[in-house]
Amino acid sequence: MPVPSDEELGGGIQGALGTIRVHDEGPRRSWRGRVLTLLAIIGPGLIVMVGDNDAGGVATYSQAGQNFGLSLLWTLPLLIPVLIVNQEMVVRLGAVCGVGHARLINERFGKFWGAFSVGDLFVLNFLTIVTEFIGVSLALGYFGVSPYISVPLAALGLVAMTASGSFRRWERFMLLFITANFLVIPLAIYAHPHAGPVLKHFVTPGVRGGFNSTSILLIIAVVGTTVAPWQLFFQQSNIVDKRITPRWINYERVDTILGSFITVLAASLIVITVAFAFAHTHAAGRFTNAGGVATALDRHLGNATGTLYAIILLNASIIGAAAVTLSTSYAFGDIFGTRHSLNRRVRDAKFFYATFAGIVALAATIVLIPGAPLGVITTAVQALAGILLPSATVFLLLLCNDKAVLGPWVNRPWLNVLSTFIVSVLFVLSLILMTTTVFPHIDVPALLAGLSSALGLVLVVAGALYLRALRHRAAPDPVEHERRMTWRMPPLALIERPTWTRGRTTTMYLMYAYLFVAVVLLFVKAVQLS
């Protein structure tokens, strides 16, 4: 008897906190019904957002608080709309298309761009997973546990948690770790923060000591650690795996919005805790790594705070490693056409689970190599994430304007304008991060001013051309609500690939050339540093 494909797997939504039966598509008229439905849907948005507050995120927010006090708090609320806009587009693609992000890129843009996107994703994700195991070793090292014990145990736990053959069981594990993320609240209370300065710095842009190369690079690092390419691939495939359809798309949007606010709240509390804990002490301005922060918190605020911080770091490392590794396994399944679902047991999806276990094992092994340049790896991951993020967002924007793929769910003009602005800003940040990583003595404020001016000019010209194109475009036919709720992408084999204009082709290959040069320069710099 043939094994059904992932798309043919039956069953309704079986979430960690509830179930929606396969034929249950009726409207939810009562608040109780809506809440129960939200509980069943909730998961992919929360996991993808909180998963981005990983070991690298905890370290970056701690560095911001230790070296700059509260003065960088204003950057965090600005990331909420960026997270929501990017991931809302992913929500629509997953629910409407029913296939993963990597497969859409492969089918709509060709095998070259599919391999390009997944190859970039694999390199970045693998290095990110290495940093997660660095976080595990630092967190449990605070308790005196050798990395030769902590790292292998964490790796085995990740594989066991993922290979259970039940999406619901895996999601319950992940939500349990997300609950532990709220330990940042008692941690912040121990630091006795004052509301006045906190509120002031949330709304007042500025940097203690002024804008310079160091502070601007840290701002870029905060953006890079909060918005990452793996999020696009993970959430779309996770939505498909959970069997969320357009009927439930608004609930998944709520899930995503809730996750973005929780993520920024946790990040803010880490900054606040470290800033108040080290204010007017010899530790201020002397960030080394997350393990050093735990030890310093123990010294200045007591053992309870050091313990809480170490647990938060360990928890963040596990969530990050689980989500980032899974996004890679999902993408490989898309590209190679193999079964890739958490609803399958190991014997039915050997390649999917073998990929997951292999990546985890190799990343854990690298961390345990004596003398491995772990500091260089961590720095390179941040730079590489900044370099690759704009290209991933470009593919996302193109897919969300593909009528054959999304039909009545394509982007509205205002969303295209907002998304293009976000992509442009991310590209400028990517360029600054890459340039300063390779040329550390460059005048960063001058570089930022020049690139911002050029970006403004380009956006004005592009906006005028876009408005002109909109005036000549026929108004879309109104689509009934019920038809929109049931519209799904036709089988990919039946859809013709979009015709690329000369301008689009040139732009894509220029982007490819930029990424190639940037990654080569970054690799050379990493080798020199190591």
Side-chain angles (χ1 to χ4, degrees), residues 294-471:
T295 302
L297 285 173
D298 187 334
R299 184 182 307 118
H300 292 285
L301 294 182
N303 180 258
T305 55
T307 299
L308 280 174
Y309 183 90
I311 293 172
I312 290 167
L313 176 61
L314 175 63
N315 184 65
S317 302
I318 292 173
I319 296 176
V324 175
T325 310
L326 190 56
S327 75
T328 311
S329 298
Y330 275 142
F332 278 4
D334 279 336
I335 290 296
F336 295 111
T338 59
R339 304 182 189 106
H340 51 290
S341 171
L342 292 169
N343 289 300
R344 292 187 180 278
R345 297 194 177 277
V346 173
R347 65 175 179 271
D348 294 330
K350 296 183 180 67
F351 179 79
F352 175 61
Y353 291 114
T355 301
F356 186 96
I359 293 172
V360 167
L362 186 56
T365 301
I366 288 177
V367 175
L368 296 178
I369 296 175
L374 301 183
V376 174
I377 292 173
T378 303
T379 303
V381 167
Q382 289 183 342
L384 190 60
I387 290 170
L388 298 181
L389 179 60
S391 65
T393 312
V394 166
F395 283 118
L396 174 64
L397 190 54
L398 291 174
L399 288 171
C400 285
N401 282 278
D402 191 337
K403 289 186 177 180
V405 168
L406 281 184
W409 291 95
V410 293
N411 278 3
R412 307 288 187 186
W414 67 267
L415 184 55
N416 281 330
V417 172
L418 181 58
S419 302
T420 301
F421 175 76
I422 290 173
V423 170
S424 302
V425 171
L426 292 175
F427 177 75
V428 169
L429 294 177
S430 159
L431 188 58
I432 293 172
L433 187 57
M434 184 272 293
T435 304
T436 51
T437 300
V438 179
F439 307 105
H441 301 297
I442 198 169
D443 187 342
V444 179
L447 177 64
L448 177 61
L451 290 175
S452 299
S453 300
L455 172 62
L457 180 61
V458 170
L459 288 178
V460 168
V461 174
L465 293 175
Y466 186 59
L467 286 174
R468 181 180 177 185
L470 286 178
R471 291 194 187 103

Side-chain angles (χ1 to χ4, degrees), residues 156-169:
L156 288 172
L158 281 170
V159 174
M161 179 179 76
T162 305
S164 67
S166 167
F167 184 98
R168 167 175 280 177
R169 192 176 298 120

Side-chain angles (χ1 to χ4, degrees), residues 174-229:
M174 294 300 289
L175 292 186
L176 180 64
F177 287 118
I178 288 173
T179 302
N181 186 66
F182 287 97
L183 288 174
V184 294
I185 296 176
L187 178 67
I189 292 174
Y190 272 109
H192 303 292
H194 303 295
V198 170
L199 294 175
K200 174 188 174 183
H201 287 289
F202 263 129
V203 298
T204 308
V207 180
R208 189 173 70 187
F211 287 93
N212 53 46
S213 59
T214 302
S215 60
I216 289 177
L217 286 179
L218 187 55
I219 291 172
I220 295 170
V222 169
V223 175
T225 196
T226 310
V227 187

Side-chain angles (χ1 to χ4, degrees), residues 44-50 53 61 76-77 79-85 87 226 231 235 253-268:
L46 271 178
I47 294 168
V48 76
M49 295 297 187
V50 177
N53 273 1
Y61 306 138
L76 295 173
L79 296 177
I80 292 177
V82 177
L83 287 167
I84 292 175
V85 167
Q87 297 307 126
T226 310
Q231 293 174 285
Q235 189 172 5
R253 283 169 169 159
V254 172
D255 178 31
T256 302
I257 293 170
L258 182 63
S260 69
F261 277 95
I262 290 175
T263 296
V264 171
L265 172 65
S268 302

Side-chain angles (χ1 to χ4, degrees), residues 22-38:
V22 65
H23 297 299
D24 180 5
E25 297 183 349
R28 270 50 175 172
R29 303 191 185 280
S30 68
W31 278 106
R32 181 179 181 275
R34 292 170 183 169
V35 169
L36 291 176
T37 301
L38 177 61

